[in-house]
Amino acid sequence: MKTIEAISNGRVNLIGEHTDYNDGWVLPTAIPQATRVRLTPREDMMVIGRTALRGGDERYEIGSERARAVWIDYVQGATKILHEEGHPIKGFEIEVASTVPTGSGLSSSAALEVATLKALREAYALKLDDPELARIGQRIENEFVGARVGIMDQMACALARFGEALFLDTKSLEFERIKIPMDELGLIVINSGVVHSNSGGDYNTRRAECEKACAQLGIPSLRHTSIEEVESSRNLGPTEKKRARHVVTENARVHAAVAALKKGDLATLGRLFYESHASMRDDYAVSVQEIDLLVELCREQTGVFGARLTGGGFGGSIVALAEKGRGGAVAREVVARYGAKVSTRATILVSE
């Protein structure tokens, strides 16, 4: 049997957090860290997985998938959905290797889903385009793993490119590729060392709070309201008002960030980063002290345009923009100062 190889890079979301499951807009880009799979079809319905990831080697039979809270769940979710939809798949052996750190807020699970689905598409000649793979990846998270995520991560892992931001409408899935002026700025991504999980209760709670806000406003999603309506509403509870305010203002920041990128206005882009972080910290309540510290340490550095929490929150990573040539020095200084203040060890993932 021919062995298929597939790769999916992780992503960092430049701006547009917790907007995707609210039918909003996002702006991710690809990072060098990636998940690679090697898949060899079998004649039976057994799936044999090998990896150094948490949980180690696993096996199961297609048609008998059962969540185990380990890496193979993302593969199981893929085969369960494809099999139930009537796609002609059989068993296979799959080897998985990844440099996308788990719990970093950089789409380690989506990268695994998309790489697996790409390999299955090639192995069994499945007539599925990249957006359809992304939709299946989202269903894996929602229906099998239990994380009520939007579709940004899977779309980014399937479509994002280096040096470009993917301006994505998560309702229509229409997207535009926006050039990032990499000759003028350095991209910094630092993992705080505080592990986050999209399948945890807090993430799902935020989605439920947004749905409650929509019910109170009488709208299908927070895409369909304005900041004026949110602020003046007498129906919104205090918590729901904060959550809605973040989503509505974050959508506006995504559009403003796209405009700033197109103009090369890096100062405005950086200001939007800081405003986004404050909104996630104060209105959406998804930041933690370690993340706030990293953002403030970035703010203190010369040549930094802006910094913010990236990903679902409750830990994970920050993304920052610095003047070209300053990224490495800034990242090293921030990590050193962070290490002197907290016991958690931060890691530089991208520094230019």
Side-chain angles (χ1 to χ4, degrees), residues 138-213:
Q138 182 192 19
R139 288 184 60 197
I140 293 169
E141 300 266 9
N142 292 173
E143 300 170 17
F144 194 81
V145 176
R148 300 188 65 206
V149 300
I151 201 168
M152 173 184 65
D153 291 359
Q154 291 76 17
M155 285 289 286
C157 288
L159 293 165
R161 299 172 181 170
F162 299 115
E164 294 179 345
L166 190 73
F167 178 35
L168 173 66
D169 180 333
T170 63
K171 180 175 175 61
S172 68
L173 296 191
E174 294 177 354
F175 62 89
E176 179 183 357
R177 299 185 187 278
I178 311 295
K179 186 179 184 300
I180 300 173
M182 299 304 293
D183 55 338
E184 298 180 49
L185 61 78
L187 181 68
I188 299 169
V189 181
I190 299 173
N191 183 359
S192 69
V194 180
V195 176
H196 101 124
S197 172
N198 282 343
S199 60
D202 289 331
Y203 186 97
N204 290 340
T205 296
R206 291 297 175 276
R207 180 159 186 171
E209 289 166 345
C210 289
E211 290 169 349
K212 187 175 180 181

Side-chain angles (χ1 to χ4, degrees), residues 65-289:
E65 291 88 351
R66 177 177 55 84
R68 307 175 190 175
V70 291
W71 72 272
I72 199 71
D73 287 357
Y74 300 100
V75 180
Q76 288 193 89
T79 58
K80 178 178 174 63
I81 291 169
L82 292 173
H83 184 60
E84 288 178 350
E85 290 189 346
H87 293 286
I89 63 169
K90 289 187 176 181
F92 51 89
E93 297 184 15
I94 184 170
E95 298 176 23
V96 177
S98 183
T99 56
V100 186
T102 58
S104 60
L106 301 173
S107 298
S108 59
S109 60
L112 174 55
E113 292 154 8
V114 171
T116 299
L117 288 165
K118 283 182 175 180
L120 287 168
R121 177 174 63 184
E122 182 176 349
Y124 296 105
L126 306 180
K127 298 186 184 304
L128 298 167
D129 62 17
D130 286 344
E132 288 173 313
L133 294 189
R135 286 190 184 278
I136 294 171
Q138 182 192 19
R139 288 184 60 197
I140 293 169
E141 300 266 9
N142 292 173
E143 300 170 17
F144 194 81
V145 176
R148 300 188 65 206
V149 300
I151 201 168
M152 173 184 65
D153 291 359
Q154 291 76 17
M155 285 289 286
C157 288
L159 293 165
R161 299 172 181 170
F162 299 115
E164 294 179 345
L166 190 73
F167 178 35
L168 173 66
D169 180 333
T170 63
K171 180 175 175 61
S172 68
L173 296 191
E174 294 177 354
F175 62 89
E176 179 183 357
R177 299 185 187 278
I178 311 295
K179 186 179 184 300
I180 300 173
M182 299 304 293
D183 55 338
E184 298 180 49
L185 61 78
L187 181 68
I188 299 169
V189 181
I190 299 173
N191 183 359
S192 69
V194 180
V195 176
H196 101 124
S197 172
N198 282 343
S199 60
D202 289 331
Y203 186 97
N204 290 340
T205 296
R206 291 297 175 276
R207 180 159 186 171
E209 289 166 345
C210 289
E211 290 169 349
K212 187 175 180 181
C214 289
Q216 292 169 348
L217 289 167
I219 55 176
S221 73
L222 291 174
R223 174 195 185 98
H224 300 282
T225 190
S226 66
I227 189 61
E228 292 78 16
E229 291 172 342
V230 168
E231 295 293 5
S232 64
S233 174
R234 295 183 179 181
N235 295 323
L236 280 171
T239 297
E240 291 76 29
K241 178 168 285 193
K242 285 185 174 183
R243 306 302 185 247
R245 182 164 55 216
H246 165 73
V247 173
V248 171
T249 58
E250 187 78 347
N251 277 328
R253 282 187 287 269
V254 173
H255 287 274
V258 169
L261 270 176
K262 289 181 175 180
K263 293 177 183 176
D265 186 352
L266 302 183
T268 294
L269 187 61
R271 174 178 58 78
L272 293 165
F273 270 40
Y274 286 131
E275 290 176 1
S276 173
H277 181 76
S279 181
M280 285 189 288
R281 181 192 64 210
D282 302 335
D283 280 340
Y284 220 68
V286 293
S287 191
V288 295
Q289 289 182 345

Side-chain angles (χ1 to χ4, degrees), residues 13-41:
N13 192 25
L14 298 177
I15 198 165
E17 226 66 72
H18 292 274
T19 53
D20 60 344
Y21 54 78
N22 287 292
D23 288 346
W25 292 265
V26 294
L27 194 66
T29 189
I31 58 173
Q33 288 79 6
T35 296
R36 292 173 170 80
V37 304
R38 287 170 50 86
L39 185 148
T40 305

